[in-house]
Amino acid sequence: MPGQAARGWAMKHALSVTRQQNFAAWYQEVISEADLAEESGVRGCMVIRPWGYGMWERIQKLMDAEIKKAGVENCYFPLFIPLSFFEKEADHVEGFAKEMAVVTHHRLVGDGKGKLIPDPESKLEEPLVVRPTSETVIGAAMSRWVQSWRDLPLLVNQWANVVRWEMRTRMFLRTSEFLWQEGHTAHVDREDAMKETMRALEMYRAFAEGPLAMPVVAGEKPENERFPGAVATYSIEAMMQDGKALQAGTSHYLGTGFAEAAGIKYQDKEGGQQFAHTTSWGVSTRMIGGVIMTHGDDDGLRCPPQIAPWQIVIVPMLRDDDGDAAVLDYCRELWRELGALSAFGEPVRVLLDTKAAKASNKRWAWVKKGAPIIVEVGPRDVSEGKAAVLRRDRLYKDDGKLNTAFTPKDDFVAQAAGMLEDIQTTLHSEAKARLEANIAREVTDLAAHFKGDEAKFAGWVEVQWARPTGAALDKIVEQLKALKLTMRNTPLDAAPVDGKCFFTGEPAVERMLIGRTY
Amino acid sequence: MPGQAARGWAMKHALSVTRQQNFAAWYQEVISEADLAEESGVRGCMVIRPWGYGMWERIQKLMDAEIKKAGVENCYFPLFIPLSFFEKEADHVEGFAKEMAVVTHHRLVGDGKGKLIPDPESKLEEPLVVRPTSETVIGAAMSRWVQSWRDLPLLVNQWANVVRWEMRTRMFLRTSEFLWQEGHTAHVDREDAMKETMRALEMYRAFAEGPLAMPVVAGEKPENERFPGAVATYSIEAMMQDGKALQAGTSHYLGTGFAEAAGIKYQDKEGGQQFAHTTSWGVSTRMIGGVIMTHGDDDGLRCPPQIAPWQIVIVPMLRDDDGDAAVLDYCRELWRELGALSAFGEPVRVLLDTKAAKASNKRWAWVKKGAPIIVEVGPRDVSEGKAAVLRRDRLYKDDGKLNTAFTPKDDFVAQAAGMLEDIQTTLHSEAKARLEANIAREVTDLAAHFKGDEAKFAGWVEVQWARPTGAALDKIVEQLKALKLTMRNTPLDAAPVDGKCFFTGEPAVERMLIGRTY
């Protein structure tokens, strides 16, 4: 893992388990120790705690601005979708079996034995499904809103909770209920709809590489990984520190299929009736899981400054004596000065942590949460006009000691905004280097490359392929499945092809990424 | 209705029905014509359209800032609550009958006859309730988070959707699913919890009177109107233009009852175990219904500038000829100049409406939506350096013509921010005058005062009362119910009592507002 080798000797870290010892257990420990989320006692549903929800609020704020900039308007659609809406969408009702929460009653009553039960009298004539995604219900609305080519493009988005009943859940990565945004758009033709599909994909790529400092590969998913009903599905894929891929956002071109099911028709300029071409695209709280597994280290989370709820935390070192007032005054002045700064075009977010607890405990709590800069101020710092500054991305010196910089206060204030921007860049560069170093392009034997247990860091493999379909594709998917591998996407920025299909030997038409995945 | 009499003659208005003709039909027409919301096809659930959702986003933004300022942290809790949680809360399970959406299955399958059904194999062992409010599930989390007096006060809030199965629904006012914020706090003692209860109430009052320009009366609800399990419930009540009351926000002091049910215990400074005192408080999308019925007129909504998604809309008058380019350039310059202004401490929100539609249709669409200022620009305005400015709160002159002010562009830019602030104040003053003029304090016969059908504008009645409880209270509630009346609250700012109880003749202890209600 980065950093550890450079320090050259066994560190004692803030967490009880390291990434190398057990990545899955480490992930859970970061979530718990950084107060990001916890189990709720409700199957598959988590409680998102203030530090985790604060990251989501930052993601929402920054992403929402991009969505609005593109002319997309926010709306809100119902949580419940009548069961019959899914019958329209299902190609073959008999083959349909989807994990969704179904509401069947609308009242609770006592059962006469001291327990509550759904009142049998309140059974719904038509069960309602808790939305797993909103294409059907938004399609129904669009069919009312779209009459003429003048009404297109129609661009809407909603921030909402959705539910997909998951058998095996993992916090942020796969939970039964999660928070997301879902964009839904309707267009006059394929060209305009594809433009929007790619705009959303590039918005996600820029967002991941920017505010999340999380490098990704943007590309098209293979046919077998398409969203059901989509003509084309695109994704951004990020590489976690264990080498696995995380699909962190998707954008779908849906053709006219959903428009036909929902009746989204428009009169064209010549007076003819046409079906609209639709798209949908979404990102979710899963992104937070990606940030943890991209930037976390053995001391907890390292939160990218752009999405950190607090970017700088000031911890006063109080001694319950007469000197405390001077320390607090000095801290308040520092808090005011830092709060007047701007970084990333926004005011710097500074917390003065006055909670009643030992200063060293507070320092380590903020290290585990990943606050980008932690500043400690004690009586001596006050008398010397200094502050003890700790950058979360450079926590230790080579000798294993904390890399605290005792800096004149005014110097620190002058450097702070640049330091935040530098931390953001550093986190991105580190992750980018890992991503680039761990895509193997000369692999001839997948089984040998990915040999070993799942914990082995093997990165991704890029192959050239002929984009086979049907039975030929199914066979490849099965082969890969036996190795616990999946195709991730065909990178938009891949080098041109110059060889044969890894699987079929036919002339290759594009490149495909293969890896283990979350 | 205000304004109409002053104009002195029958206006032709933008809506097909006036407030006086049929207030309920007028309300529905405003919602539809202003593109605020619409029926979704899902029972009791509405689609909130961009202009309505934009108002909610403004409400969220401004209220969230106040919530954070008070040190309350946002979290997110599960949508689903296990049925057993309600058994803890229910005083008498056998008497419990609550309208709530109940999830009983987690999969859909085909029934073999071409229909989808909940898969009988997927029946949940314990049904899940879609949250109607989150006291129980947040209480369970608080019981994990609170150990010591040092952990208190614990102040959390969530923005979420909740579901209460309603038999009769009305958009924004009473829908099965609605959006809200729910604050939940835990404290060491009654005093601290009551302080928080009143802080939230005053935050709501200031928010209603400020951004919503909606005057309210803040006070305590009578015992029979308390939130189930609360020791005291406070509300803000607004007067709609038909004289009915709208409860627009509530704040509850819950005593230790919820803490006892959930096990929220803490170690006090002396080492003893104590139950926390909790509060909860919330406002919802219902506020938007209140804004419509407070400020709407017979031409649609008049949106208070502070919560208007667009405060100024520029409509270019294009003729599909060579002059259009100059008009658009002039409009863009105006758009830039206005966008550089600040009103209410925020940048002014200006839209240049370039949609392909007739300028006069666009003007009336924005009138119905209630954009505070509409500016039209045609070729003649460009050559004269002017703009045609229409204030939504002063739409007509006394002669019934549109009150358009042809203003030199630079003058308008210089006035615009002040004009927005003036519109906000004007809307508030108008509503405030109506509220104050329509609280009758000398009524001796409620039946006579409220005689006539429900459409009759009768305002509210303030009486003095002795705060009777038990059977005496029940009797009063029944008497009022027969007149379709309810007690609203005991105003915090009421004059001191100086007489006898309106109902019992005992010495009065406080004043109580009575009215019809939504």
Side-chain angles (χ1 to χ4, degrees):
Chain A
M1 303 286 165
Q4 216 165 20
R7 287 197 296 276
W9 55 289
M11 296 288 315
K12 190 173 165 350
H13 288 287
L15 302 182
S16 74
V17 58
T18 68
R19 290 160 290 172
Q20 236 154 3
Q21 285 165 350
N22 185 334
F23 197 76
W26 166 84
Y27 177 73
Q28 292 299 330
E29 195 177 355
V30 174
I31 288 174
S32 157
E33 290 295 310
D35 286 346
L36 294 167
E38 66 185 27
E39 298 292 348
S40 66
V42 183
R43 208 193 139 289
C45 298
M46 61 181 172
V47 173
I48 309 181
R49 302 192 62 182
W51 189 248
Y53 196 78
M55 287 170 67
W56 181 242
E57 288 184 307
R58 290 289 309 154
I59 289 173
Q60 282 192 300
K61 185 184 166 167
L62 297 173
M63 181 76 82
D64 196 62
E66 297 302 315
I67 290 171
K68 287 195 165 80
K69 226 182 267 172
V72 182
E73 294 187 302
N74 284 341
C75 297
Y76 188 77
F77 295 89
L79 174 67
F80 298 133
I81 302 178
L83 196 147
S84 57
F85 280 43
F86 291 90
E87 288 166 4
K88 288 187 209 166
E89 187 205 356
D91 278 340
H92 304 285
V93 162
E94 297 319 320
F96 193 97
K98 281 199 182 159
E99 295 294 334
M100 301 195 261
V102 191
V103 175
T104 56
H105 295 74
H106 68 77
R107 193 184 307 123
L108 293 183
V109 292
D111 68 350
K113 299 168 208 155
K115 292 269 170 201
L116 290 176
I117 53 166
D119 185 353
E121 306 273 303
S122 75
K123 194 171 174 187
L124 300 178
E125 271 184 43
E126 180 176 8
L128 296 172
V129 174
V130 180
R131 62 180 163 219
T133 178
S134 303
E135 273 77 6
T136 55
V137 72
I138 294 181
M142 284 184 166
S143 76
R144 298 189 295 269
W145 299 346
V146 173
Q147 309 293 335
S148 144
W149 62 271
R150 283 187 189 82
D151 301 321
L152 298 174
L154 180 64
L155 314 169
V156 303
N157 176 67
Q158 81 171 347
W159 291 93
N161 53 345
V162 289
V163 172
R164 298 171 187 182
W165 206 263
E166 299 284 354
M167 287 301 133
R168 293 176 55 199
T169 61
R170 204 187 294 219
M171 278 192 277
F172 290 113
L173 301 179
R174 181 168 279 112
T175 48
S176 289
E177 182 191 14
F178 58 92
L179 305 180
W180 78 344
Q181 62 67 220
E182 47 179 323
H184 296 268
T185 70
H187 305 262
V188 287
D189 58 17
R190 181 184 191 287
E191 190 190 344
D192 202 53
M194 271 304 295
K195 222 167 98 183
E196 174 64 14
T197 306
M198 300 315 283
R199 184 204 64 76
L201 182 71
E202 291 298 342
M203 173 177 74
Y204 291 157
R205 169 162 34 190
F207 188 83
E209 302 257 355
L212 305 183
M214 183 170 80
V216 292
V217 175
E220 188 182 353
K221 303 295 283 185
E223 187 186 321
N224 61 299
E225 298 266 2
R226 272 182 206 143
F227 177 69
V231 174
T233 288
Y234 297 82
S235 73
I236 53 168
E237 305 278 334
M239 186 185 285
M240 303 296 101
Q241 287 183 72
D242 60 353
K244 287 193 194 168
L246 184 80
Q247 177 178 298
T250 50
S251 184
H252 315 288
Y253 166 56
L254 302 173
T256 57
F258 281 85
E260 286 167 37
I264 313 174
K265 275 183 291 197
Y266 71 92
Q267 192 170 52
D268 63 23
K269 286 184 185 177
E270 288 72 42
Q273 287 286 314
Q274 304 281 353
F275 283 112
H277 292 244
T278 66
T279 84
S280 68
W281 31 272
V283 296
S284 73
T285 35
R286 175 169 242 225
M287 277 188 158
I288 295 173
V291 165
I292 297 167
M293 293 193 295
T294 299
H295 302 302
D297 67 12
D298 296 337
D299 294 293
L301 178 61
R302 298 186 304 168
C303 192
Q306 275 199 275
I307 61 161
W310 299 115
Q311 296 170 313
I312 305 178
V313 176
I314 305 169
V315 178
M317 303 176 79
L318 305 176
R319 301 174 168 185
D320 285 321
D321 66 19
D322 291 350
D324 285 0
V327 170
L328 281 171
D329 280 349
Y330 186 89
C331 286
R332 277 189 211 104
E333 190 183 308
L334 180 59
W335 176 80
R336 270 192 303 272
E337 289 168 353
L338 292 169
L341 302 175
S342 278
F344 310 100
E346 292 181 276
V348 168
R349 297 180 293 283
V350 194
L351 176 73
L352 173 54
D353 180 359
T354 54
K355 211 186 152 196
K358 262 179 70 180
S360 64
N361 289 350
K362 290 204 273 187
R363 176 212 298 151
W364 284 104
W366 289 111
V367 165
K368 288 188 279 186
K369 285 186 155 96
I373 302 174
I374 301 163
V375 188
E376 289 171 283
V377 174
R380 196 167 144 182
D381 302 304
V382 174
S383 62
E384 294 178 0
K386 291 189 172 175
V389 178
L390 197 55
R391 274 177 69 146
R392 181 61 183 85
D393 64 329
R394 297 181 189 165
L395 199 56
Y396 299 103
K397 289 188 283 197
D398 285 350
D399 63 4
K401 288 186 180 148
L402 273 183
N403 191 14
T404 308
F406 294 91
T407 315
K409 178 162 90 52
D410 294 348
D411 290 1
F412 172 58
V413 172
Q415 298 159 4
M419 197 179 282
L420 288 171
E421 295 181 356
D422 188 55
I423 294 170
Q424 184 84 22
T425 307
T426 302
L427 291 179
H428 182 265
S429 309
E430 210 178 83
K432 181 93 176 166
R434 184 172 56 238
L435 174 68
E436 288 179 349
N438 291 292
I439 299 179
R441 294 190 171 82
E442 306 298 332
V443 171
T444 52
D445 183 342
L446 287 174
H449 185 80
F450 285 99
K451 199 172 172 184
D453 65 21
E454 269 202 75
K456 186 195 158 200
F457 184 101
W460 303 345
V461 169
E462 189 187 271
V463 300
Q464 304 195 28
W465 85 327
R467 204 180 171 104
T469 57
L473 177 62
D474 292 345
K475 202 179 129 196
I476 295 168
V477 171
E478 284 307 309
Q479 278 174 0
L480 292 174
K481 200 175 166 188
L483 297 169
K484 296 186 177 171
L485 295 173
T486 57
M487 287 178 279
R488 305 316 306 151
N489 68 25
T490 59
L492 297 182
D493 304 331
V497 289
D498 57 5
K500 292 187 173 156
C501 178
F502 184 86
F503 302 105
T504 66
E506 297 167 275
V509 299
E510 60 191 8
R511 291 174 187 264
M512 171 62 77
L513 285 178
I514 292 167
R516 287 178 174 150
T517 187
Y518 278 95
Chain B
M1 304 286 164
Q4 217 164 20
R7 286 198 295 276
W9 55 292
M11 297 288 313
K12 190 173 165 345
H13 288 288
L15 302 183
S16 73
V17 59
T18 68
R19 290 162 289 174
Q20 235 154 4
Q21 285 164 349
N22 185 333
F23 197 76
W26 166 85
Y27 177 73
Q28 292 299 330
E29 195 178 355
V30 174
I31 288 174
S32 159
E33 291 293 313
D35 287 344
L36 293 168
E38 67 185 26
E39 298 292 347
S40 66
V42 183
R43 207 193 141 288
C45 297
M46 61 181 173
V47 173
I48 309 181
R49 301 194 63 182
W51 189 249
Y53 196 77
M55 287 170 66
W56 182 241
E57 288 184 308
R58 290 290 310 157
I59 289 173
Q60 280 192 303
K61 185 185 165 166
L62 297 173
M63 182 75 82
D64 196 60
E66 296 303 315
I67 290 171
K68 286 194 166 81
K69 225 181 267 173
V72 182
E73 294 187 300
N74 284 340
C75 297
Y76 188 76
F77 295 88
L79 173 67
F80 297 133
I81 302 177
L83 197 147
S84 58
F85 280 44
F86 291 89
E87 287 165 4
K88 286 188 211 167
E89 188 204 355
D91 277 342
H92 304 285
V93 163
E94 296 320 319
F96 193 96
K98 280 199 185 160
E99 295 294 333
M100 301 195 258
V102 191
V103 175
T104 56
H105 294 74
H106 67 75
R107 193 184 308 122
L108 292 183
V109 291
D111 68 348
K113 299 167 207 157
K115 292 268 169 200
L116 291 175
I117 53 166
D119 185 354
E121 305 274 302
S122 75
K123 195 169 174 191
L124 299 177
E125 271 184 42
E126 180 176 8
L128 296 172
V129 174
V130 180
R131 63 181 163 218
T133 178
S134 303
E135 273 76 7
T136 54
V137 72
I138 294 181
M142 284 184 166
S143 75
R144 298 189 294 270
W145 299 345
V146 173
Q147 309 294 333
S148 143
W149 63 271
R150 283 187 189 82
D151 302 320
L152 298 174
L154 180 64
L155 313 170
V156 303
N157 177 65
Q158 82 171 344
W159 292 93
N161 53 345
V162 289
V163 172
R164 298 172 187 183
W165 206 265
E166 297 285 354
M167 287 302 132
R168 293 177 56 198
T169 61
R170 204 186 293 218
M171 279 192 277
F172 290 113
L173 299 178
R174 180 166 280 112
T175 48
S176 288
E177 182 191 14
F178 58 92
L179 305 180
W180 78 344
Q181 62 67 218
E182 46 180 322
H184 297 268
T185 70
H187 304 263
V188 287
D189 58 17
R190 182 184 189 287
E191 189 190 345
D192 203 52
M194 272 304 297
K195 223 167 98 184
E196 174 63 15
T197 306
M198 300 315 284
R199 183 204 65 75
L201 182 71
E202 291 298 341
M203 172 177 73
Y204 292 156
R205 164 154 51 182
F207 188 84
E209 303 256 354
L212 305 184
M214 183 169 81
V216 292
V217 176
E220 188 182 352
K221 303 294 283 185
E223 187 187 321
N224 60 301
E225 299 265 4
R226 272 182 208 145
F227 177 69
V231 174
T233 288
Y234 297 83
S235 73
I236 54 169
E237 305 277 335
M239 185 184 285
M240 304 295 100
Q241 287 183 71
D242 61 352
K244 286 193 195 170
L246 184 81
Q247 178 177 300
T250 49
S251 183
H252 315 288
Y253 166 57
L254 303 173
T256 57
F258 282 84
E260 285 166 37
I264 313 173
K265 274 182 293 197
Y266 71 93
Q267 192 170 52
D268 64 23
K269 288 185 184 176
E270 288 74 41
Q273 287 286 315
Q274 304 280 352
F275 283 112
H277 292 244
T278 66
T279 84
S280 68
W281 31 272
V283 296
S284 73
T285 36
R286 175 168 242 226
M287 277 187 159
I288 295 174
V291 166
I292 297 167
M293 293 194 293
T294 298
H295 301 301
D297 66 14
D298 296 336
D299 293 292
L301 179 61
R302 299 186 303 169
C303 192
Q306 275 200 274
I307 61 160
W310 300 115
Q311 295 169 315
I312 305 178
V313 176
I314 304 171
V315 178
M317 302 176 79
L318 304 178
R319 300 173 170 188
D320 284 321
D321 66 20
D322 291 351
D324 285 0
V327 170
L328 281 171
D329 279 349
Y330 186 88
C331 285
R332 278 191 211 102
E333 189 183 309
L334 180 58
W335 176 78
R336 271 192 302 273
E337 289 169 351
L338 293 169
L341 302 174
S342 279
F344 311 101
E346 289 181 278
V348 169
R349 298 180 292 283
V350 194
L351 176 72
L352 172 54
D353 181 359
T354 55
K355 212 186 152 193
K358 262 179 67 179
S360 64
N361 289 350
K362 290 205 273 188
R363 176 212 299 150
W364 284 105
W366 288 112
V367 165
K368 287 188 279 188
K369 284 186 156 96
I373 301 175
I374 302 164
V375 188
E376 288 172 284
V377 174
R380 191 163 149 187
D381 301 306
V382 174
S383 62
E384 295 178 359
K386 291 189 173 175
V389 178
L390 198 54
R391 272 177 70 145
R392 182 61 183 87
D393 64 328
R394 298 184 189 163
L395 199 56
Y396 299 103
K397 290 188 282 197
D398 285 349
D399 63 6
K401 289 190 180 144
L402 272 184
N403 191 14
T404 309
F406 294 91
T407 314
K409 179 161 89 53
D410 294 348
D411 290 1
F412 171 58
V413 172
Q415 298 159 3
M419 198 180 280
L420 289 170
E421 295 182 355
D422 188 54
I423 295 171
Q424 184 83 25
T425 308
T426 303
L427 292 178
H428 182 265
S429 309
E430 209 178 83
K432 181 93 178 167
R434 183 172 58 240
L435 174 68
E436 288 180 349
N438 292 292
I439 300 179
R441 293 190 172 82
E442 306 298 330
V443 171
T444 52
D445 183 342
L446 287 175
H449 184 81
F450 286 99
K451 199 171 174 184
D453 65 23
E454 270 202 74
K456 186 193 157 201
F457 183 102
W460 303 345
V461 169
E462 188 186 274
V463 301
Q464 303 195 30
W465 84 328
R467 204 182 170 104
T469 57
L473 177 62
D474 293 345
K475 202 179 131 196
I476 294 168
V477 171
E478 283 308 307
Q479 278 174 359
L480 292 174
K481 200 176 168 188
L483 298 169
K484 295 185 177 172
L485 295 173
T486 57
M487 287 178 276
R488 306 314 307 152
N489 68 26
T490 58
L492 297 182
D493 304 330
V497 290
D498 58 5
K500 291 187 173 155
C501 177
F502 184 87
F503 303 104
T504 66
E506 295 167 279
V509 299
E510 60 192 6
R511 290 173 188 265
M512 170 63 77
L513 285 178
I514 293 167
R516 285 177 177 152
T517 186
Y518 278 95

